[in-house]
Amino acid sequence: MKVDFITKSVWGQYTPETVKAFEDSGLAEHIWVLDRKPVKGNPVKYFFTYKLWHILYERKLKLVPGSFPNHTTLNLRRQFDAILRRQQYDYIIISYAYWADFIRDNPLVGNAVTIIDTHDLLASQHQNDTGFDKGAALGDELRRLAQFNQVWAISPEETYFFSQFLKEKVKYIPMIMTAPTPVKETVEKDFDLIYVASDNPHNLRSAAWFFKEVYPLLSTNIRICAIGVITAHISKDYPNVTLIPFVDDLDEYYRRARVALCPMLTGTGVKVKVVEAMSHGLPVICSERGLDGLPDKTSNGCLSANDPQTFAANIQGVLSDKALYEQLSCQGQAYFQQHFSIESGYQKLDKAMGIDR
């Protein structure tokens, strides 16, 4: 297979240097970074050559009031179509329903198998948006997904929901990752707890809840490491909390920690931090939302609780009970291998794409 990669400039904060690094990696034959809008020069020319046509294009799309965003701008669609004119593809995979309308009424798709990789139930992700309408958003999401030959869902919950309406189009394709390389020497455990998170709204609420409700119940002797842009929203006054905005290698920090945290209160899909922790054999202390996307909610290396007292007690218990720690560690690694390993994931991908090995 040969792979071309198309993305939007601000989605990944691409620079000439990162584009060059991507090209040199060999992950794709070509990479195109598209711009949401054309460069705005002469206002009159901009209006008549783009803005006016974009308004007409949005009317053609019939954007649904109260739904979640539709990022398919006219300029993006023009650039996407130009790529399809140069190259015909066997498969076209679009990530997130924000851009599903790239293929709407698009003859340039040709005979390609079209696949939408959903990642999340976006109607749920945006339910707190101003002016949000549940019925309109769910209907619009299903309409966007129905355009595709296949709908890939990352969690059993979303697979079940989507398949009620889209039937056999829906395929359960979980996240997959390479298991970390085992380290022979004993690594010093610098941290008791590790918490990895971005600063999306779900993580902001979850981190605020943990440090307000759970942290005061824990011993100050417990060493906590928080990694990611979430650290900009955590007070620097906690004496036992190390804040690290960015690291090159997360594996190193998982190896240096004993237990992983996932205090999620909202969200959909699967929590990447949970699967990462499992792959390293770290027990996971989480809320019920932290179990989202896991095929089985028990015997998976996680202890879950939604109330602060039990959440804190689970942390204290797994750190102090060696037998419990080993049990959860072994469960998590076995669970990862069964559901999220490269070998397991490739089998599902091959079946979905009709590939025989």
Side-chain angles (χ1 to χ4, degrees):
M1 283 193 171
K2 294 182 179 180
V3 178
D4 289 349
F5 182 77
I6 305 171
T7 186
K8 193 176 78 166
S9 55
V10 299
W11 186 252
Q13 298 179 337
Y14 285 92
T15 65
E17 292 75 23
T18 58
V19 170
K20 179 66 164 54
F22 197 124
E23 291 173 337
D24 292 344
S25 71
L27 290 170
E29 291 280 312
H30 304 100
I31 173 172
W32 285 283
V33 182
L34 311 186
D35 294 315
R36 180 174 176 270
K37 295 181 179 180
V39 176
K40 189 174 183 179
N42 183 295
V44 175
K45 182 179 179 181
Y46 177 82
F47 178 80
F48 283 104
T49 60
Y50 176 71
K51 187 66 176 180
L52 179 61
W53 293 102
H54 177 68
I55 293 170
L56 296 173
Y57 178 70
E58 286 193 331
R59 288 183 179 179
K60 181 181 177 181
L61 284 180
K62 296 179 181 177
L63 301 181
V64 178
S67 185
F68 57 91
N70 189 328
H71 293 329
T72 313
T73 67
L74 177 60
N75 195 55
L76 287 172
R77 175 65 182 260
R78 284 173 171 173
Q79 294 169 89
F80 181 71
D81 287 358
I83 294 169
L84 295 188
R85 288 189 182 94
R86 290 193 296 265
Q87 174 68 54
Q88 285 294 302
Y89 294 97
D90 299 303
Y91 300 90
I92 295 175
I93 304 174
I94 293 180
S95 289
Y96 290 101
Y98 297 122
W99 292 280
D101 283 338
F102 272 3
I103 70 162
R104 184 174 184 174
D105 301 325
N106 194 337
L108 296 172
V109 167
N111 295 321
V113 175
T114 55
I115 300 168
I116 182 74
D117 193 1
T118 60
H119 296 285
D120 289 294
L121 175 61
L122 293 182
S124 177
Q125 289 282 324
H126 287 273
Q127 61 184 291
N128 294 318
D129 290 1
T130 302
F132 180 83
D133 183 309
K134 291 180 183 178
L138 286 169
D140 187 32
E141 184 158 10
L142 292 171
R143 192 276 305 166
R144 297 189 205 185
L145 302 186
Q147 301 175 98
F148 291 79
N149 300 125
Q150 292 187 22
V151 177
W152 289 359
I154 199 170
S155 72
E157 294 91 341
E158 286 153 24
T159 301
Y160 172 80
F161 176 77
F162 290 138
S163 65
Q164 295 303 302
F165 303 94
L166 303 172
K167 309 304 179 185
E168 68 279 354
K169 284 188 175 187
V170 182
K171 314 292 181 185
Y172 171 47
I173 306 293
M175 66 164 292
I176 58 175
M177 62 174 63
T178 304
T181 304
V183 179
K184 294 182 180 180
E185 67 273 10
T186 302
V187 177
E188 183 69 26
K189 300 296 184 181
D190 302 311
F191 307 107
D192 298 299
L193 305 176
I194 184 170
Y195 175 48
V196 180
S198 68
D199 62 350
N200 67 46
H202 302 294
N203 284 325
L204 289 175
R205 283 192 288 272
S206 303
W209 174 81
F210 175 80
F211 282 100
K212 181 181 179 181
E213 304 291 344
V214 180
Y215 178 82
L217 305 176
L218 300 175
S219 166
T220 55
N221 292 326
I222 293 177
R223 302 161 298 170
I224 304 173
C225 177
I227 299 176
V229 289
I230 191 66
T231 55
H233 307 274
I234 300 174
S235 172
K236 296 179 175 61
D237 296 332
Y238 299 117
N240 58 330
V241 178
T242 300
L243 303 177
I244 307 176
F246 175 81
V247 298
D248 284 317
D249 183 8
L250 267 177
D251 287 354
E252 174 190 349
Y253 284 84
Y254 278 117
R255 286 194 289 264
R256 292 166 56 188
R258 299 180 63 198
V259 175
L261 292 177
C262 182
M264 298 297 292
L265 304 178
T266 57
T268 59
V270 65
K271 309 305 178 282
V272 176
K273 60 176 71 68
V274 172
V275 179
E276 287 176 339
M278 287 177 177
S279 73
H280 285 85
L282 268 64
V284 179
I285 308 300
C286 63
S287 57
E288 289 183 5
R289 287 278 71 81
L291 300 175
D292 286 349
L294 302 185
D296 304 303
K297 309 304 181 186
T298 59
S299 301
N300 51 26
C302 303
L303 290 180
S304 69
N306 286 343
D307 64 282
Q309 292 75 20
T310 307
F311 198 100
N314 285 343
I315 292 174
Q316 302 279 14
V318 77
L319 288 175
S320 60
D321 187 332
K322 186 175 181 180
L324 175 62
Y325 184 97
E326 290 299 326
Q327 177 188 4
L328 293 173
S329 175
C330 292
Q331 282 181 354
Q333 284 183 306
Y335 193 87
F336 169 84
Q337 194 62 38
Q338 180 181 358
H339 296 288
F340 301 111
S341 65
I342 290 289
E343 295 79 11
S344 172
Y346 278 5
Q347 290 177 10
K348 294 182 177 67
L349 284 169
D350 287 347
K351 184 176 181 181
M353 300 178 77
I355 297 172
D356 293 323
R357 285 181 181 267

